[in-house]
Amino acid sequence: MSKRVGTIKLEKNSMDDIPKVALLTEEKEMTEKVKAALKDVFEKFAKDRRMDGDAAALFTQNTTGESLVTKSDNRIKMLLASFGKEGGSYIDLEGFYNFYKDAIVNNREDVVRKNLAVYGYRTHVLCVD
């Protein structure tokens, strides 16, 4: 025999309900919290403070969930050519920051937030879970 004690109402938790912290300052520079999060992500893949094509491919695989990304992927080539050093042979932390800043200012902030969420940084950024 069971006894009904009360009613529980469950609601879907929406990420939209969580306040989002600005990723850029009023001067259009990345906030220190965003930089700290990006530095943490960068350092997971960089060797000697550099991310070469292979490391960038691994970063992209982990971030997107796509297992077939290689250094010959057009996204990797674009990243290195646009934001890299020494003729696009590697990207350093500053180039990584610039890559993400470019995404933010070009209306891809949602992609930046999703990328950071993969590494535990949530929408109200930038608190680690």
Side-chain angles (χ1 to χ4, degrees), residues 51-110:
M51 192 185 295
D52 64 10
D54 290 324
L58 183 59
F59 159 73
T60 303
Q61 288 173 7
N62 280 283
T63 305
T64 64
E66 299 173 39
S67 61
L68 301 177
V69 179
T70 66
K71 65 183 177 183
S72 61
D73 186 289
N74 284 336
R75 293 171 291 181
I76 305 306
K77 290 179 180 179
M78 184 280 304
L79 170 69
L80 295 174
S82 299
F83 301 98
K85 301 276 186 182
E86 294 183 15
S89 64
Y90 70 91
I91 187 170
D92 62 5
L93 181 58
E94 195 62 35
F96 196 69
Y97 287 158
N98 289 335
F99 169 69
Y100 274 102
K101 181 179 177 184
D102 182 70
I104 295 166
V105 299
N106 286 301
N107 298 314
R108 295 189 319 258
E109 183 175 320
D110 60 323

Side-chain angles (χ1 to χ4, degrees), residues 7 9 15 26 29 44 46 65 67 77 83-84 92 104 117 129:
T7 304
K9 182 179 178 184
M15 292 299 279
E26 289 181 16
E29 296 300 323
K44 291 179 187 319
S67 61
K77 290 179 180 179
F83 301 98
D92 62 5
I104 295 166
D129 284 349

